[in-house]
Amino acid sequence: MSHFDDLMDYERQTQALAQVAGRLSWDQETVMPRGASPQRAEESEAMEHVLHARRTDPRVGEWLAEIDAETLDPVGRANLRHIQRAFDRTNRVPVKLAGEIARVTSSAQRSWAEARAANDFKAFAPVLAKVVELKRAEAQALASGGDPYDALLDDFEPGATATELEAMFDALRPRLVALRDRVMGADHQPAPLSGTFDESRQMELTQEIARAFGYDMEHGRIDKAVHPFSSGSGLDVRITTRTSATDPFGSIYSTVHEVGHACCEQNIDRDYLLTPLGQGVSMGVHESQSRIFENQLGRSRAFTGWLHGRMQEVFGPLPVADADAFHGAVNRVTQGFIRTESDEVQYNLHVLLRFDLERDMIAGKLAPADLEEAWNARFEADFGVKVDKPANGCLQDVHWSVGLFGYFPTYSLGNVYAGCLMKALRNAVPDVDASLAEGNPRPATGWLAENLQRHGGLYEPREVITRACGGVAPSEGPLLDYLEAKFSEVYKL
Amino acid sequence: MSHFDDLMDYERQTQALAQVAGRLSWDQETVMPRGASPQRAEESEAMEHVLHARRTDPRVGEWLAEIDAETLDPVGRANLRHIQRAFDRTNRVPVKLAGEIARVTSSAQRSWAEARAANDFKAFAPVLAKVVELKRAEAQALASGGDPYDALLDDFEPGATATELEAMFDALRPRLVALRDRVMGADHQPAPLSGTFDESRQMELTQEIARAFGYDMEHGRIDKAVHPFSSGSGLDVRITTRTSATDPFGSIYSTVHEVGHACCEQNIDRDYLLTPLGQGVSMGVHESQSRIFENQLGRSRAFTGWLHGRMQEVFGPLPVADADAFHGAVNRVTQGFIRTESDEVQYNLHVLLRFDLERDMIAGKLAPADLEEAWNARFEADFGVKVDKPANGCLQDVHWSVGLFGYFPTYSLGNVYAGCLMKALRNAVPDVDASLAEGNPRPATGWLAENLQRHGGLYEPREVITRACGGVAPSEGPLLDYLEAKFSEVYKL
């Protein structure tokens, strides 16, 4: 066996253990008994210790030093690149700190859920302060002199920097604000879909739509959780959703969103199973798939035309005049507090708020105890309304409680990528709307699987998007063009 | 920190990882997507490697060599004893063999489920042959010159030997056979409970009864699985059940059985959490709790009197004349193929069959390919009927597919223990029947928690039973006395 084969065998076991650790998180969010929390914290910490020890094992460093990348094929070189990067990153974080982060975030997540239910930020603030303290220490260790926030960001979007993102977001913001103002001031305001909708039928419809978009239930399952998410890679990729009797779109579109994530894992070349290439390459690329599934495809006029009919079959007559009014109900732009329920026009404004606040927390400019106040002030400035309760404000997202800093901006980057990909997809699959109108997104999702998802970690994030777009590098233009065209039509601007 | 503290810290992480591995098995049996099987096999093997590496780590041997047991308190000494025994056992099995067993049994379990569904033993035979081959190699390694079967048995019932069990079973068999003959030939034959019973109501009733027996849902949950089981220790102890529209007793009594197992974990002194003492001390002791919950308590005249009324509230009027006829229906002795559905009189005859066949397979006297024939011949000899299909014969139990050899005899040992404990309990809690008649098993299950379950692994199996029985060593007499008295009454002998 060559050093490379040894390394890949070793990496395969590490990947398998990482899948186990990920499934432990899935379990915690879906089925874990409430009282198990303290024990689970120790279990998660023990798994983190094992993974950290494997990732920092001197043998990996020795193998990496011995292997000549020039002797490998492109797949081998890509694997080596991922392993080297992960090895370098992991070795910078002390094992004790990594273990403490795992333990603290495991119980912090429970504290967050309780504080959110009780609408009590003060109960969560000291827990968040501890998480931020640990993440700042981790960022310092990772950055080794560079920008601490970029060091965290790099874990989710290799190669991206806050400075670059800020420039992109600066270009996004004015046209989004202008579009929102026009939409909010429009004479034509689509009505919402009112009524109550049986939640078990919602779950059934959600499964049907998940399958239609390409979710493979032989290698996945759908459960309920507080926060919808996708979990796992390879042959076991699970998603969660939530239902509300008065908001069937919440369940449908959060599911389609998570199906985008799940397909980004399920459709990777099976040759890459349990290797570093067997996972979506970055959160931005991941989010590009969840958002294009959810919005450019799922909320298109063509697909909502089909959904309008299907929902009447499932729930009986709907209180909307026609498919056009239904399309308007799906795409309404309204004042709202919750990022995950936000419309396409305002969504990125939610993200920019979090991006700035978390950069300030990591930079030490914003004390976690002051987060609620800072959030509420910024929200009122950006959205024109006061936050009414923490569950609608700074306690709405799970991310920070589990230590995810540097993750939020990848949502907007994903939207930018989705804009670029949709433009390319329309060129490549001209009849995409005809299929969507029949409730069949497969020509579209199949193109994405073939041109993007199957590559897994073979290419760097920017490169794989550029390749899928026929050599055109990603920019915010196509997303803005798409949004302006779509909402001008919906709102008859 | 002393060597002992170091050892206990290390052991605590190992225990936490073992809980994770156990939960992976729970996941596989309850919620895992079908197509995930090949990946799961690699995940299980990776976890087994981690655990094996920890258990054979030279540091453990060094700590054990350095620690003077005389300096420890009784709890410390008991912990040390468990760690030493596990260390000695694990070090005898090569890491490659341990990994292969984990991998093969993971996929063998899937093969077993498929073969069972298809009633096709031949499809499973080569898989079983591989499992037996690996377990024989493991037994040879463990026995280091001693009896290979005893070496496997010792993993489930420390200190027990096949020779001793054989003597006990030889004393059981004639009185059980005589009782069965009298029961089968009795003029009075209780009628079964006929009808169909809503399965979701069965699940609700099952949860109610589980709680009544003391199952703590804050630290547990109930799901459906092909084979009911209990999984986990400490703060996360999950059970599974199965339902059948025409057999509500199947669901109720398999649940009460698993609740006995679960209480045996949940009621252990919390000071022992994630230490070697924080688990039921042996399978025999475990089974004594599941069987006393299920039979001596759950199938008692007092409790069935309450259950008769409760089931009429839940399901409407039952087609039985009175509580006496209901009690007869619960305790009917009939010809049947399935061990887990067997009555108290014949149950141990099922176990003895498996005990002899698995000893022969481990000794190399019975080829796995010949198992179906051997099983069917022995079954006809013992039970007087021919096995009609493998799902009712040698494919009915999951155990061998997952490598559990030496486990079956602990079922009968547990029944013997249960007989002894019930005798002691009746002396200690004279009004136990009055509470059971009100649907309240807590005085009984509380006594078991206090006198047996809370000790976890503090005492050796025989010792903890002897202590709970006020100094009387276990023997088969009380079980036989109890069965003869009970079934003489039920069958009006």
Side-chain angles (χ1 to χ4, degrees):
Chain A
M1 296 249 299
S2 71
H3 292 302
F4 182 70
D5 292 337
D6 287 338
L7 176 62
M8 290 301 288
D9 272 6
Y10 183 88
E11 182 66 21
R12 193 171 184 92
Q13 276 205 19
T14 307
Q15 294 276 337
L17 293 169
Q19 289 300 309
V20 174
R23 205 154 305 108
L24 207 58
S25 299
W26 172 87
D27 185 278
Q28 184 164 334
E29 287 296 289
T30 53
V31 293
M32 186 184 83
R34 228 183 115 76
S37 195
Q39 178 173 325
R40 176 59 56 89
E42 291 198 52
E43 293 170 6
S44 299
E45 185 178 357
M47 283 302 291
E48 189 54 40
H49 265 252
V50 167
L51 286 165
H52 192 270
R54 288 187 69 88
R55 287 167 177 156
T56 54
D57 192 303
R59 281 178 298 171
V60 175
E62 286 161 24
W63 283 319
L64 286 168
E66 294 286 343
I67 296 164
D68 178 5
E70 297 305 311
T71 64
L72 303 175
D73 65 9
V75 168
R77 280 200 298 276
N79 274 312
L80 197 66
R81 176 165 47 78
H82 282 282
I83 296 170
Q84 182 78 58
R85 180 159 52 203
F87 182 73
D88 292 344
R89 281 187 68 84
T90 310
N91 273 283
R92 292 192 188 121
V93 183
V95 64
K96 195 175 160 221
L97 177 60
E100 201 176 355
I101 290 172
R103 187 175 54 77
V104 168
T105 54
S106 173
S107 66
Q109 188 175 2
R110 176 72 57 189
S111 303
W112 162 77
E114 288 168 358
R116 180 177 184 256
N119 268 299
D120 183 0
F121 175 71
K122 283 198 174 55
F124 180 59
V127 178
L128 178 64
K130 185 69 190 167
V131 174
V132 169
E133 178 196 324
L134 293 171
K135 293 300 288 187
R136 291 186 70 197
E138 186 190 32
Q140 292 288 353
L142 284 169
S144 49
D147 180 73
Y149 184 82
D150 281 356
L152 296 176
L153 174 62
D154 192 68
D155 201 25
F156 306 108
E157 200 66 23
T161 67
T163 307
E164 288 172 335
L165 292 178
E166 202 173 21
M168 186 179 271
F169 296 164
D170 281 349
L172 271 177
R173 193 186 291 114
R175 279 173 70 184
L176 287 179
V177 168
L179 177 59
R180 188 197 59 184
D181 288 349
R182 291 171 64 211
V183 159
M184 291 293 194
D187 292 336
H188 174 73
Q189 291 288 336
L193 182 67
S194 58
T196 58
F197 302 84
D198 180 82
E199 292 183 59
S200 62
R201 284 190 195 169
Q202 286 187 44
M203 284 300 287
E204 285 167 25
L205 178 60
T206 271
Q207 295 219 1
E208 176 190 335
I209 293 173
R211 283 195 176 88
F213 273 84
Y215 185 55
D216 173 5
M217 296 285 285
E218 271 286 297
H219 299 95
R221 53 179 290 129
I222 306 178
D223 294 270
K224 287 196 185 184
V226 173
H227 188 86
F229 65 92
S230 169
S231 166
S233 296
L235 306 182
D236 194 345
V237 185
R238 306 180 185 185
I239 63 173
T240 64
T241 189
R242 55 185 173 200
T243 58
S244 153
T246 56
D247 177 23
F249 295 148
S251 167
I252 291 169
Y253 287 103
S254 76
T255 301
V256 173
H257 180 97
E258 298 308 332
V259 165
H261 283 302
C263 285
C264 205
E265 299 292 337
Q266 289 186 327
N267 291 328
I268 296 174
D269 191 326
R270 286 278 159 90
D271 288 348
Y272 304 162
L273 186 71
L274 294 177
T275 75
L277 305 194
Q279 298 165 37
V281 71
S282 75
M283 291 303 113
V285 171
H286 241 286
E287 192 69 9
S288 75
Q289 300 308 286
S290 59
R291 294 292 283 181
I292 200 171
F293 274 49
E294 177 188 356
N295 291 328
Q296 278 88 349
L297 303 176
R299 289 195 169 92
S300 66
R301 178 167 294 275
F303 188 74
T304 62
W306 172 83
L307 184 62
H308 175 235
R310 186 73 191 102
M311 281 184 68
Q312 301 206 78
E313 289 167 5
V314 171
F315 300 110
L318 299 179
V320 289
D322 53 21
D324 194 60
F326 182 85
H327 182 62
V330 167
N331 288 287
R332 286 178 79 225
V333 177
T334 56
Q335 283 290 8
F337 297 109
I338 304 296
R339 174 183 58 84
T340 58
E341 296 170 1
S342 181
D343 51 79
E344 288 180 80
V345 174
Q346 298 178 98
Y347 184 84
N348 292 300
L349 296 174
H350 282 276
V351 174
L352 303 199
L353 178 159
R354 287 153 180 77
F355 176 58
D356 289 337
L357 292 179
E358 72 176 19
R359 278 204 295 164
D360 284 351
M361 283 195 281
I362 294 301
K365 293 179 195 166
L366 173 62
D370 299 330
L371 174 68
E372 184 175 19
E373 198 181 333
W375 178 294
N376 291 355
R378 168 70 180 259
F379 191 88
E380 190 172 1
D382 283 7
F383 293 84
V385 287
K386 281 186 192 292
V387 172
D388 59 347
K389 55 184 179 180
N392 280 339
C394 63
L395 288 182
Q396 72 181 265
D397 293 309
V398 72
H399 301 61
W400 292 333
S401 79
V402 293
L404 294 175
F405 290 83
Y407 187 117
F408 276 120
T410 68
Y411 287 130
S412 284
L413 184 60
N415 285 332
V416 166
Y417 289 161
C420 301
L421 290 166
M422 192 65 203
K423 186 174 173 183
L425 193 161
R426 285 207 173 275
N427 286 332
V429 188
D431 61 350
V432 60
D433 282 333
S435 309
L436 286 170
E438 291 167 354
N440 177 19
R442 287 295 182 98
T445 59
W447 185 88
L448 290 165
E450 178 61 24
N451 289 276
L452 184 80
Q453 295 162 6
R454 75 180 169 92
H455 296 306
L458 185 60
Y459 304 113
E460 289 284 61
R462 256 185 96 85
E463 186 185 353
V464 74
I465 298 291
T466 304
R467 281 176 171 264
C469 294
V472 181
S475 71
E476 68 282 358
L479 173 67
L480 288 163
D481 293 345
Y482 151 80
L483 289 173
E484 286 166 353
K486 173 173 178 173
F487 286 91
S488 293
E489 192 203 336
V490 170
Y491 278 82
K492 306 188 194 302
L493 299 177
Chain B
M1 294 248 301
S2 70
H3 291 303
F4 181 70
D5 292 336
D6 288 338
L7 175 63
M8 289 302 288
D9 273 5
Y10 184 88
E11 182 67 21
R12 194 171 182 92
Q13 276 206 19
T14 308
Q15 294 277 337
L17 293 168
Q19 289 299 311
V20 174
R23 205 154 304 109
L24 207 59
S25 299
W26 172 87
D27 184 279
Q28 183 164 334
E29 288 296 290
T30 53
V31 293
M32 185 184 83
R34 228 182 113 77
S37 194
Q39 178 173 322
R40 176 57 57 89
E42 291 197 53
E43 293 170 5
S44 299
E45 185 178 357
M47 283 301 292
E48 189 54 41
H49 265 253
V50 167
L51 286 166
H52 192 270
R54 288 187 70 88
R55 287 167 177 155
T56 55
D57 192 302
R59 281 177 298 170
V60 176
E62 287 160 23
W63 284 319
L64 286 168
E66 293 287 344
I67 296 165
D68 178 4
E70 297 304 311
T71 64
L72 303 175
D73 65 8
V75 169
R77 281 201 297 277
N79 274 310
L80 196 67
R81 177 165 47 80
H82 282 282
I83 296 170
Q84 181 78 58
R85 180 159 54 204
F87 183 73
D88 292 344
R89 280 187 70 85
T90 312
N91 273 283
R92 293 192 185 121
V93 182
V95 63
K96 197 177 159 219
L97 177 59
E100 201 176 357
I101 289 172
R103 188 176 54 76
V104 167
T105 53
S106 174
S107 64
Q109 187 175 2
R110 177 72 56 189
S111 304
W112 163 77
E114 288 169 358
R116 180 177 184 259
N119 268 300
D120 183 1
F121 174 72
K122 281 197 175 57
F124 180 60
V127 177
L128 178 64
K130 185 68 191 167
V131 174
V132 170
E133 178 195 324
L134 293 170
K135 292 300 288 188
R136 292 186 69 198
E138 186 190 32
Q140 291 288 351
L142 284 169
S144 50
D147 181 73
Y149 183 82
D150 281 354
L152 297 176
L153 174 62
D154 192 67
D155 201 24
F156 306 108
E157 200 66 23
T161 67
T163 307
E164 287 170 335
L165 292 177
E166 202 172 20
M168 185 178 271
F169 295 163
D170 280 351
L172 272 178
R173 193 185 293 112
R175 280 173 68 183
L176 288 179
V177 168
L179 178 59
R180 187 197 60 185
D181 287 349
R182 289 171 64 210
V183 160
M184 291 291 192
D187 291 335
H188 175 72
Q189 290 289 335
L193 182 68
S194 58
T196 61
F197 302 84
D198 181 81
E199 291 184 57
S200 62
R201 285 191 194 169
Q202 285 187 45
M203 284 300 286
E204 285 166 27
L205 179 59
T206 271
Q207 294 219 3
E208 175 189 336
I209 293 173
R211 282 196 176 89
F213 272 83
Y215 185 55
D216 174 5
M217 296 286 284
E218 271 286 296
H219 299 96
R221 51 178 291 129
I222 306 178
D223 294 271
K224 287 195 185 186
V226 173
H227 189 87
F229 64 91
S230 169
S231 168
S233 296
L235 306 182
D236 194 345
V237 184
R238 306 179 185 185
I239 63 173
T240 64
T241 190
R242 54 185 174 202
T243 58
S244 154
T246 55
D247 177 23
F249 295 148
S251 168
I252 291 168
Y253 286 104
S254 77
T255 301
V256 173
H257 180 97
E258 299 307 333
V259 165
H261 283 301
C263 285
C264 205
E265 299 291 339
Q266 289 185 327
N267 291 330
I268 296 174
D269 191 326
R270 287 278 157 87
D271 287 347
Y272 304 162
L273 186 71
L274 294 177
T275 74
L277 305 194
Q279 297 166 38
V281 70
S282 75
M283 291 302 114
V285 170
H286 241 287
E287 192 69 8
S288 74
Q289 299 309 287
S290 58
R291 294 294 281 182
I292 200 170
F293 274 48
E294 177 188 355
N295 292 327
Q296 277 87 351
L297 302 177
R299 288 195 170 92
S300 65
R301 178 166 294 274
F303 188 75
T304 61
W306 173 82
L307 183 61
H308 174 236
R310 186 74 190 104
M311 282 184 68
Q312 300 206 79
E313 288 168 5
V314 171
F315 299 109
L318 299 178
V320 288
D322 53 23
D324 194 62
F326 182 86
H327 183 64
V330 167
N331 287 288
R332 284 180 80 227
V333 177
T334 56
Q335 282 290 6
F337 297 110
I338 303 297
R339 174 183 59 83
T340 59
E341 297 170 0
S342 181
D343 50 79
E344 289 179 81
V345 174
Q346 297 178 97
Y347 184 85
N348 292 298
L349 297 174
H350 282 276
V351 175
L352 303 199
L353 178 159
R354 287 153 180 78
F355 175 59
D356 289 339
L357 292 178
E358 72 176 21
R359 278 203 296 165
D360 284 351
M361 283 195 282
I362 294 300
K365 293 179 192 164
L366 172 62
D370 299 331
L371 173 68
E372 184 175 18
E373 196 181 336
W375 178 295
N376 291 354
R378 168 70 180 261
F379 191 89
E380 190 171 359
D382 282 7
F383 293 83
V385 287
K386 281 183 192 294
V387 172
D388 59 348
K389 55 185 180 182
N392 281 340
C394 62
L395 288 181
Q396 71 181 263
D397 293 309
V398 72
H399 302 59
W400 291 334
S401 79
V402 293
L404 293 174
F405 290 82
Y407 187 118
F408 276 121
T410 68
Y411 288 130
S412 284
L413 185 59
N415 285 333
V416 166
Y417 289 161
C420 301
L421 289 166
M422 192 64 202
K423 186 175 172 183
L425 194 161
R426 285 208 172 273
N427 286 333
V429 189
D431 61 349
V432 61
D433 283 334
S435 308
L436 287 169
E438 290 166 356
N440 177 19
R442 286 297 182 97
T445 60
W447 185 88
L448 290 165
E450 178 61 25
N451 288 275
L452 184 81
Q453 295 162 6
R454 74 179 171 92
H455 296 306
L458 184 61
Y459 304 113
E460 290 283 64
R462 256 184 96 85
E463 186 185 353
V464 75
I465 298 291
T466 303
R467 279 174 172 266
C469 294
V472 181
S475 71
E476 67 283 356
L479 173 67
L480 288 163
D481 294 344
Y482 151 79
L483 289 173
E484 286 166 352
K486 172 173 179 173
F487 287 90
S488 294
E489 190 203 337
V490 170
Y491 277 82
K492 307 187 194 301
L493 299 176

